[in-house]
Amino acid sequence: MMILDLIASRNYAEESEVRAMPMVLRIERVDPPARTALLEAAAASAVAVCLDPRADVGGEWHEAVRAWVAGRIRKVSRRARGVQWDAVQSLPGVTITVDGASVRSLLPVLVSETPREVAKLQISGSDLPEDSPGPVPEGARLLYVNPRVEMSAGKLAAQVGHASMLLAPHLSVSELKAWAALDYRCAVRTPSVAEWDSLIHRGDVVAVRDAGFTEVEPGTTTVLAV
């Protein structure tokens, strides 16, 4: 549980170099995925990397995840299609697919050491049209998006990834096991402004506050995890 403890503490170590988790969004030119499904896949894949047995103490991923979580949990979303998507499957990480939408979250690395297969992928152009998701799947963890803030799908993929990670330390061992059995299923929804204002003052939510490097102002609350 050491990784969960680090996430929960949020005590940022000094970073000699920036580390980030690459998140690769599969967005094909023909038949692109639904926006909500892609975001839900992103949220699940991000936390799946952190809770993977290989990230436990003694595991082959532990040091990379520990060093990243001890700093700031930066993520960089990139889009891939065709052979680009195939190329990143051999890199260490976890792919989650939700309703046909796939995201592969990779093992965090120093930004200066981003794998060539990832570095050449585009960061921009990852937006998708809004959609109307159906009922919340049984067992899914709810992530609420700030209705006052406009964000691209790529930006929001990173934000919901933060939310699922920050939620994990608040769950019991039995809850985590049940969630893992569902491949860390998340439901991303956008509430009304009134609902958001009510949620943000509740004591049982975890808030993601963005550093403001891209798209939003520093300190903006972007996502709430229930």
Side-chain angles (χ1 to χ4, degrees):
M1 290 294 181
M2 183 178 178
I3 296 301
L4 288 183
D5 294 339
L6 280 169
I7 295 171
S9 71
R10 310 302 295 133
N11 290 326
Y12 303 128
E14 290 296 323
E15 297 168 277
S16 58
E17 292 187 64
V18 176
R19 297 175 185 270
M21 170 186 279
M23 302 180 73
V24 184
L25 319 180
R26 185 176 189 180
I27 305 178
E28 298 289 346
R29 194 182 307 275
V30 177
D31 193 24
R35 191 175 197 264
T36 297
L38 191 72
L39 296 175
E40 291 172 349
S45 63
V47 73
V49 170
C50 298
L51 299 185
D52 190 284
R54 289 167 289 185
D56 290 343
V57 175
E60 60 190 286
W61 290 3
H62 177 73
E63 182 53 32
V65 176
R66 185 210 62 77
W68 174 60
V69 173
R72 294 185 180 273
I73 55 172
R74 294 190 177 100
K75 299 180 178 70
V76 178
S77 299
R78 299 175 184 265
R79 61 178 173 85
R81 58 173 64 104
V83 295
Q84 297 173 329
W85 173 255
D86 295 336
V88 301
Q89 299 309 300
S90 62
L91 300 175
V94 177
T95 297
I96 296 287
T97 300
V98 175
D99 296 336
S102 297
V103 175
R104 185 169 183 81
S105 291
L106 301 175
L107 196 62
V109 294
L110 290 168
V111 171
S112 60
E113 297 177 2
T114 300
R116 178 178 53 83
E117 298 92 335
V118 177
K120 66 183 182 181
L121 299 177
Q122 294 291 319
I123 296 177
S124 61
S126 61
D127 210 7
L128 295 165
E130 298 283 350
D131 58 5
S132 299
V136 174
E138 185 175 355
R141 293 287 166 175
L142 269 166
L143 308 179
Y144 289 106
V145 176
N146 190 335
R148 291 190 174 93
V149 180
E150 290 188 11
M151 290 175 278
S152 67
K155 173 70 173 182
L156 194 48
Q159 300 302 299
V160 295
H162 295 339
S164 62
M165 283 179 56
L166 295 177
L167 174 64
H170 295 273
L171 303 180
S172 67
V173 172
S174 61
E175 287 173 326
L176 286 170
K177 287 181 178 178
W179 198 22
L182 297 174
D183 287 335
Y184 302 105
R185 188 72 165 91
C186 295
V188 177
R189 298 293 184 267
T190 303
S192 68
V193 170
E195 289 170 331
W196 173 267
D197 290 343
S198 176
L199 283 164
I200 204 168
H201 295 297
R202 281 172 45 173
D204 61 343
V205 296
V206 177
V208 177
R209 292 182 175 84
D210 193 67
F213 294 120
T214 61
E215 296 193 27
V216 301
E217 293 297 318
T220 300
T221 300
T222 54
V223 181
L224 298 175
V226 177

